[in-house]
Amino acid sequence: MRDFFRVHDPVSFVFPIDGDCLSPLDGREADGALHIPVRVRAAQNARLRINGRPAAFDPKSRLFTAELPLYGYRTTLTAIDEYNGCRADIAVFRLHDPVKKFYFTVDDAIVFLAELNACPERYPSIFDHPFLAPFRAAHDRYGAQVHINLYYEFNAESAADFSAHRAPFTLSMMTDRFRPEFEANADWLTFSYHAHANYPNMPGMVQSADFIGESIRMVHREICRFAGPASLLPATTMHFGNATLETLRAFRDNGYRIQFGSFRVVDDDSPYLSYYGRDGLPRYLRGSGVDAYNNPSDAGAGSGRDFWRDNAEDVLYAHTDMVLNVIPLGEIIPWMERYLAARPSKGFFHPMIHEEYFYPDYVHYIPDCGDRVLRAVRHLYESGFRSVPIQDIVLE
């Protein structure tokens, strides 16, 4: 288990930690730099310097503090105890205008493509399909960027969750007749790999890295064929948001530098909906209050983090804030207001929904899914949030 916080080292950063992704809410902007209050743990009698600047000891927190400027995207911070030579080095990231921004994603998607493929004459436009229609409205009215995470296969096991007969389907069967329209909307509607299929649960824990890597490449080939290369974005939420290190690397080696997740850990501290387990990092990212699935927090105090980058694995993690299929329509706005009030340092908001709940024959059908999407996006827009491509915020 990795020690992300280095609490037993003679010199260790308390804030920021290695991989932190920082915004103006973490400090103050002046003279072209983001000035952040750096806090370091060291012996009380240390002579501590951080990037050459003397740090003052705060007897109340028992930490050394100094204000440091961040000028570029990546900055290395080095704390050295000149008394004994002990040191700590971290790399942190200054994000591109991430405050009051949002990004909408969809998981578990494939049925809409099967229906477009089966009856293309019914859909002169892809946005005539009732699943895609509310996302087009959210974009046209409120500028929403929408990202859809796809399965490769809809099989008999998946079909068992639907009461109507649904034939097997793979992305290799998808017609390319809609490609011009997908390409024309690729500036705001993008796709990526989610999993090979809806089952098994937690595929990142039970399927091999080789299988997942090949499945990713299959999905990528098909997205580029039926929707065009510009529609493919290497950002996703891995199905169930957890994985072994080997399967995480399979995603990264196939281009996935951004992973969304809710970073939930169950009571026994086993990793669940979290890419990392019993090391404190899920709590650090998630913060206090309810999680994205409206579960009570196990995270203790703190506002959490919008983003964090694993420098060792070259993967950036984005915190999912809200899963709309678990929040009733009438509760969406008060839920969002409570959630944001509990996180004053949150600049970025990530709502998402699952595709299957849109269909009347699905076992857990929710008839107002489209209304939920539009209500959440409208409230964000009217609260001053604007939607931007995720890569424009977090990547160099």
Side-chain angles (χ1 to χ4, degrees):
M1 183 172 64
R2 284 171 57 189
D3 179 8
F4 292 95
F5 297 94
R6 315 294 299 181
V7 294
H8 301 298
D9 289 1
V11 176
S12 63
F13 283 86
V14 174
F15 181 81
I17 67 166
D18 188 47
D20 264 341
C21 299
L22 303 163
S23 82
L25 297 177
D26 293 305
R28 62 181 183 88
E29 290 184 312
D31 303 320
L34 174 62
H35 300 259
I36 60 169
V38 179
R39 300 189 296 275
V40 175
R41 182 183 294 108
Q44 184 173 344
N45 64 346
R47 295 197 301 268
L48 200 75
R49 287 183 175 269
I50 308 173
N51 284 23
R53 298 189 177 196
F57 182 73
D58 176 13
K60 184 176 180 179
S61 66
R62 303 190 66 80
L63 300 174
F64 286 85
T65 64
E67 187 177 71
L68 272 293
L70 309 180
Y71 287 98
Y73 174 72
R74 177 187 176 117
T75 301
T76 298
L77 299 178
T78 300
I80 299 177
D81 182 354
E82 294 181 328
Y83 182 77
N84 56 23
C86 292
R87 63 183 287 162
D89 300 275
I90 65 172
V92 298
F93 303 88
R94 181 187 179 187
L95 299 182
H96 310 293
D97 193 22
V99 179
K100 283 284 188 174
K101 300 299 188 299
F102 75 94
Y103 191 70
F104 200 104
T105 69
V106 186
D107 281 0
D108 298 359
I110 192 171
V111 173
F112 79 102
L113 293 173
E115 293 188 345
L116 287 171
N117 184 74
C119 301
E121 67 284 351
R122 187 181 298 173
Y123 307 106
S125 164
I126 57 175
F127 301 110
D128 291 326
H129 192 282
F131 167 69
L132 289 179
F135 299 114
R136 179 56 185 263
H139 173 71
D140 288 349
R141 298 175 194 174
Y142 313 114
Q145 295 277 320
V146 179
H147 182 70
I148 300 177
N149 299 310
L150 298 175
Y151 293 135
Y152 175 74
E153 180 179 16
F154 182 88
N155 53 26
E157 194 173 10
S158 302
D161 292 332
F162 295 79
S163 60
H165 171 71
R166 289 186 176 269
F169 175 78
T170 70
L171 294 189
S172 67
M173 301 163 62
M174 178 62 187
T175 177
D176 62 1
R177 69 182 293 168
F178 298 106
R179 175 169 171 163
E181 192 171 16
F182 280 122
E183 289 182 316
N185 291 279
D187 61 323
W188 68 271
L189 180 65
T190 52
F191 302 98
S192 67
Y193 178 87
H194 188 50
H196 191 80
N198 192 50
Y199 298 104
N201 294 339
M202 302 189 183
M205 303 294 287
V206 300
Q207 292 177 333
S208 72
D210 287 343
F211 176 86
I212 287 176
E214 179 57 27
S215 182
I216 291 172
R217 291 186 287 274
M218 291 164 63
V219 168
H220 287 185
R221 286 195 294 269
E222 300 306 331
I223 291 173
C224 291
R225 177 187 61 80
F226 72 76
S231 298
L232 175 62
L233 180 69
T236 191
T237 304
M238 194 185 302
H239 195 29
F240 277 82
N242 58 15
T244 65
L245 184 57
E246 289 74 19
T247 52
L248 275 169
R249 288 172 175 170
F251 273 80
R252 180 204 61 198
D253 293 345
N254 283 280
Y256 284 92
R257 298 180 60 197
I258 304 169
Q259 293 274 0
F260 288 91
S262 64
F263 298 96
R264 179 184 176 199
V265 178
V266 296
D267 291 340
D268 64 359
D269 278 343
S270 61
Y272 178 70
L273 304 182
S274 170
Y275 298 97
Y276 295 91
R278 296 175 298 170
D279 50 32
L281 188 65
R283 293 175 173 82
Y284 180 73
L285 276 159
R286 177 177 154 189
S288 61
V290 296
D291 71 2
Y293 285 83
N294 206 27
N295 295 296
S297 178
D298 53 11
S303 296
R305 305 296 302 168
D306 291 329
F307 305 99
W308 175 80
R309 177 171 170 165
D310 186 339
N311 287 322
E313 299 297 331
D314 192 23
V315 178
L316 188 142
Y317 294 95
H319 181 227
T320 298
D321 297 293
M322 185 180 201
V323 178
L324 284 166
N325 45 271
V326 301
I327 310 295
L329 180 64
E331 297 180 18
I332 286 175
I333 292 177
W335 190 96
M336 295 172 77
E337 290 177 345
R338 290 194 302 271
Y339 186 90
L340 290 169
R343 295 162 171 80
S345 61
K346 170 161 284 298
F348 185 87
F349 196 87
H350 171 221
M352 60 88 67
I353 199 167
H354 296 79
E355 186 210 17
E356 56 265 42
Y357 294 91
F358 281 75
Y359 299 95
D361 60 320
Y362 180 59
V363 63
H364 299 300
Y365 170 55
I366 298 173
D368 59 9
C369 279
D371 293 333
R372 295 187 189 197
V373 170
L374 289 171
R375 184 159 298 182
V377 171
R378 176 181 176 181
H379 186 64
L380 286 168
Y381 186 84
E382 292 180 345
S383 299
F385 284 78
R386 296 296 180 264
S387 192
V388 292
I390 185 65
Q391 67 274 19
D392 290 356
I393 290 178
V394 300
L395 299 182
E396 188 168 14

